[in-house]
Amino acid sequence: MKKMLSRTLALVLTLACVLSLSVVAFADGEKQHFDKLTLEFVPSKDADVIIAGTENLDDLVQAEMAKMGYDIDEVKISVGTNYDATGEAMSAGTIDVGWLPGGTYALYSDDTEVILTATRNGLSNDSTNPADWNGEENATRKDGPQVTYYRALIYATPSAYGKKLAEKVNNGEKLTWEDLDGAKWAVQKTSSSAGYVYPTMWLMENYDGKKISDLSNVIPIDSGYGTSFSYAAAESVDIIVCYADGRNDYEASWTLPTDQKDATGKQGMGRKDSIWNELNVIGVTEGIYNDTVAVSKASPFYTDELKAALQDCFINIINTEEGKAIFDVYSHTGYAKAVDSDYDGARMAMVAVSD
């Protein structure tokens, strides 16, 4: 009887301790108060399109984080002027949470920590033969299975020289280095996975180790892919590089008059024919590990508890209809918890293309 009483008493005391700790933990959580949490996206889409698409994200983050015991007065959302600007801001601690491509994360991973990897709908086309991507009959659809990678494509524009390159590829001919070196290229910042790193690796693999930096005529673009597509439409460059579903994103604006905007706010580019017919793929890269959601290690709020809360926060948000609509601006359809070693391949890629 005494043993039973002793065990019962021990159990009661244990439960009391657990309840006490739970109350203390909850109380401490309730006391987590931030004046402002800063979130920043890189400009892989036009900045105004991202801002419009993420309009309600601040309220959703506040509400989800409140459920986890975080009282946040303001969630501020911004778009970096370029990829490196967001990485630098996170390194300095002026941005708490950033959406970084794999290559940019690899470059700034000493000062940031990945918490999530994006998943997305795969495309209807995943061929490594560039000719398979061209023409209306091969227009890609975003209806494939969920994937954790995407490809970059090298596109020939409708300029006179771009058409010559496209014609060779569509006839099954291999482009020479001289063909590519004679073109005017538009590329993104050097930390952009789809806009620089993997197109460089494609060149290295197919043209005896030569890189984008070895090309004779390259225009670096700081302002995102929208500028590349507008240059292509204006026939002021011969080749652009972009993620594989880039034509989907600019399909409507490609043929709109230049004084109009599409439903997402992209400016019309004034072309007469379909983007699928005019912007031809001439190269297909290897798969690129998906974008990250990363936390600044220099943020005053950087703790293991906050990282875990943010992981659950964004997973919960993207699993709602409203959240899916918001993150569709980045073609993200889900988030999976991630660790730093997931991006070792991206680091290797950065080393490979560094000059």
Side-chain angles (χ1 to χ4, degrees), residues 3 16 31 116 118 140 202 222 224 237 242 248 257 265 271 275 289:
K3 287 183 178 179
K31 292 178 183 177
L116 296 168
T140 53
W202 176 80
D222 286 346
V237 296
C242 184
N248 296 78
R271 300 299 302 183
I275 197 170
Y289 212 73

Side-chain angles (χ1 to χ4, degrees), residues 297-318:
K297 294 179 182 178
S299 166
F301 312 129
Y302 177 75
T303 63
D304 288 339
E305 292 76 17
L306 178 66
K307 288 183 291 181
L310 288 170
Q311 284 176 322
D312 290 340
C313 171
F314 292 119
I315 289 172
N316 291 344
I317 288 174
I318 204 168

Side-chain angles (χ1 to χ4, degrees), residues 37-41 57-58 60-62 64-65 68 75 77 96-99 115-116 293-295 306-320 323-324 326-327 333-336:
L37 185 71
T38 55
L39 315 179
E40 186 159 290
F41 293 88
L57 182 58
D58 52 353
L60 295 178
V61 171
Q62 282 178 306
E64 281 297 324
M65 293 297 284
M68 302 175 203
V75 174
I77 298 172
D96 301 310
V97 181
W99 276 254
I115 58 172
L116 296 168
V293 182
V295 178
L306 178 66
K307 288 183 291 181
L310 288 170
Q311 284 176 322
D312 290 340
C313 171
F314 292 119
I315 289 172
N316 291 344
I317 288 174
I318 204 168
N319 284 334
T320 67
K324 280 183 171 60
I326 286 172
F327 289 111
T333 55
Y335 288 117

Side-chain angles (χ1 to χ4, degrees), residues 16 92 118 152 181 191 223 230 285 324 331:
D181 192 45
S191 65
S223 50
S230 66
T285 75
K324 280 183 171 60
S331 300

Side-chain angles (χ1 to χ4, degrees), residues 177-234:
W177 171 255
E178 289 71 27
D179 288 332
L180 297 173
D181 192 45
K184 183 182 293 186
W185 291 58
V187 303
Q188 302 297 310
K189 295 287 286 186
T190 55
S191 65
S192 170
S193 298
Y196 192 94
V197 177
Y198 280 76
T200 294
M201 292 178 70
W202 176 80
L203 285 174
M204 292 172 67
E205 181 179 350
N206 290 284
Y207 297 96
D208 297 324
K210 288 187 168 60
K211 306 177 181 181
I212 285 177
S213 57
D214 294 314
L215 292 164
S216 298
N217 199 343
V218 176
I219 301 173
I221 294 174
D222 286 346
S223 50
Y225 290 108
T227 302
S228 289
F229 279 85
S230 66
Y231 283 6

Side-chain angles (χ1 to χ4, degrees), residues 249-290:
D249 291 339
Y250 291 90
E251 180 180 13
S253 60
W254 185 259
T255 53
L256 276 180
T258 55
D259 60 350
Q260 295 182 22
K261 294 185 178 181
D262 70 7
T264 64
K266 298 185 186 72
Q267 196 70 42
M269 301 183 196
R271 300 299 302 183
K272 301 302 181 185
D273 197 3
S274 160
I275 197 170
W276 306 102
N277 292 331
E278 290 209 289
L279 202 59
N280 279 250
V281 177
I282 59 173
V284 182
T285 75
E286 296 295 319
I288 306 167
Y289 212 73
N290 275 351

